[in-house]
Amino acid sequence: MDLRLTDQQQLISESAREFCDREIVPRARENDRAERFDRELATKLGGIGYLGAPVSEDYGGRGLDYLSYGLIVEQVGRADSAMRTVVSVQTSLVCGSIERWGTEGQKHRWLPRLCAGEALGCFGLTEPDTGSDAAALRTRAKRTGAGWSISGQKMWISLGNVAEVALIFAQTDPDLKHRGLACFLVPTETDGFSTQEIHGKLGLRASDTASLALDDVEVGGDALLGEIGDGFKIAMSALDNGRYSVAAGCVGICDGCVDASVAYATERKQFGVPLARFQLVQAMIADMIVKRDAARMLVYRAGDLKSRGEPNTTETSIAKLYATEASVECANLAIQVHGGAGYVDDYPVERYLRDARVTTLYEGTSQIQKLIIGRAATGENAMVPMAAED
Ligand SMILES: Cc1cc2nc3c(=O)[nH]c(=O)nc-3n(C[C@H](O)[C@H](O)[C@H](O)COP(=O)(O)OP(=O)(O)OC[C@H]3O[C@@H](n4cnc5c(N)ncnc54)[C@H](O)[C@@H]3O)c2cc1C
């Protein structure tokens, strides 16, 4: 077993860190304060190839292996989780789904522009009444001769207000339950498609979040991604990749917490000595380092399996569960190391905590990850409880 990165992976990681320190870090605090989605920065991410890293070069991507993609996401996550969200949604959820399930026509139409950052995409699965139980979604797609008419609502959709294309998951036949689900590539300029901004978030304030309304949105037959009945499989395969990306970003948060805490603890003095001299402060830093390294190894394992095309749903859930929870714990510890200074945004650690918090909720909550891991271990599906007896 070789745990070292290749020279090329090392280079990818170092250049991503340099890019993020130069381009993202200086803008993170102001974008967070202003709740501003930084479209210009998103375009820059596309320009440097960070929005389509694992997508084939045939469609405008960089054709990188999944571990290399994870290394880039780690650095973006270290700099700003709002920007990491752009990378995760665009690359893992949108481009990854189109590349895997799309026709040649769909791939050529959307992927080059998405990879370049010229267009943004969003992933519309969650609805006001269906979150964890995604298969119960109510958005309805009805046939209209050659095409489809889609009506329904989507909730909490990242990039929803700024995307040019939306992956919309919809039910084609409620009697078929999850076998009736389908996914559509809907241009957001289509009549009947409208969005509303969601504000007041605890964190990810510089990330765009929307509710979507679809009112008899007419699309052609070529908008269908995959086949009717593939919707649930498309959503689950997308989330397998999205979870990996979220986990990698959380390793970046943990790493940022360690660096900020070491820097602060070696500079700040109390009782005449640097904070770093106190054993209890070192213990907090050591706890962060252990969590960061464990999270990183779990992400590397999942990335390695993905790169080799091997099954990885359980390993990805393990990485997502551990890394997201670790990022919350590390950010909380980092604030503690900073004392009162950690409670304001002169330092990045309070933003790390606010931004980390959502990662245990989206792309499958921590409870859902545990149910996936438990199901793999026992063969029992505890996701849907038995109906209570009267
Ligand atoms: C900032 C933000 C961005 C998002 N971006 C997107 C996006 O781009 N696209 C998209 O489609 N969605 C997005 N989401 C939605 C997100 O994926 C959902 O919030 C998530 O899936 C949880 O669904 P829910 O909020 O409806 O919670 P619920 O499903 O109502 O869960 C509430 C609680 O019940 C628990 N629970 C639910 N079911 C079970 C069970 N079977 N067993 C045990 N516990 C259970 C959950 O773990 C949780 O603790 C985003 C959310 C946020 C906050």
Side-chain angles (χ1 to χ4, degrees), residues 64-344:
L64 295 181
D65 63 88
Y66 260 84
L67 190 46
S68 299
Y69 168 52
L71 295 170
I72 292 169
V73 179
E74 177 183 330
Q75 293 306 328
V76 179
R78 185 180 185 279
D80 184 359
S81 291
M83 277 298 137
R84 197 272 309 148
T85 300
V86 180
V87 178
S88 296
V89 170
Q90 182 96 337
T91 310
S92 291
L93 299 181
V94 177
C95 291
S97 300
I98 297 173
E99 187 176 31
R100 173 157 177 200
W101 299 90
T103 61
E104 280 305 308
Q106 289 168 331
K107 291 183 204 180
H108 283 292
R109 177 174 178 194
W110 291 111
L111 289 177
R113 291 181 61 221
L114 290 167
C115 290
E118 290 163 13
L120 294 174
C122 68
F123 183 81
L125 180 64
T126 307
E127 299 183 353
D129 291 329
T130 49
S132 302
D133 187 11
L137 61 82
R138 291 191 196 160
T139 296
R140 188 80 163 85
K142 292 184 182 164
R143 276 201 192 275
T144 56
W148 295 87
S149 172
I150 308 172
S151 292
Q153 286 184 316
K154 297 288 172 183
M155 188 69 188
W156 305 116
I157 307 305
S158 302
L159 310 184
N161 300 293
V162 290
E164 273 81 6
V165 61
L167 264 69
I168 296 294
F169 293 85
Q171 179 58 264
T172 61
D173 182 350
D175 291 341
L176 292 177
K177 302 210 165 127
H178 74 272
R179 288 189 197 84
L181 293 180
C183 179
F184 297 88
L185 286 164
V186 180
T188 56
E189 64 186 13
T190 314
D191 284 348
F193 189 103
S194 61
T195 72
Q196 202 166 10
E197 293 182 7
I198 296 177
H199 288 288
K201 289 176 294 184
L202 172 69
L204 281 192
R205 291 184 180 164
S207 172
D208 178 75
T209 312
S211 61
L212 313 180
L214 293 93
D215 186 10
D216 281 332
V217 173
E218 303 262 347
V219 290
D222 60 353
L224 180 67
L225 187 65
E227 305 289 332
I228 296 163
D230 282 345
F232 196 66
K233 281 186 272 179
I234 295 172
M236 292 306 117
S237 69
L239 290 174
D240 251 2
N241 290 334
R243 285 168 187 161
Y244 170 72
S245 188
V246 171
C250 286
V251 174
I253 295 178
C254 296
D255 195 41
C257 289
V258 171
D259 283 358
S261 300
V262 169
Y264 190 79
T266 46
E267 275 165 23
R268 165 96 172 156
K269 285 188 177 161
Q270 285 296 285
F271 299 94
V273 295
L275 297 178
R277 195 79 57 85
F278 300 118
Q279 291 179 354
L280 292 178
V281 172
Q282 285 204 9
M284 290 192 276
I285 292 172
D287 282 346
M288 284 184 241
I289 289 171
V290 172
K291 288 179 203 300
R292 176 199 63 191
D293 287 3
R296 191 177 267 153
M297 288 298 128
L298 291 172
V299 169
Y300 284 7
R301 178 176 71 166
D304 184 52
L305 288 169
K306 284 179 191 295
S307 296
R308 287 192 276 118
E310 293 186 17
N312 60 78
T313 297
T314 309
E315 290 79 2
T316 299
S317 279
I318 293 170
K320 201 264 182 185
L321 172 64
Y322 187 84
T324 57
E325 295 285 348
S327 69
V328 175
E329 290 162 17
C330 284
N332 204 26
L333 282 169
I335 291 175
Q336 198 67 19
V337 169
H338 284 68
Y343 198 64
V344 290

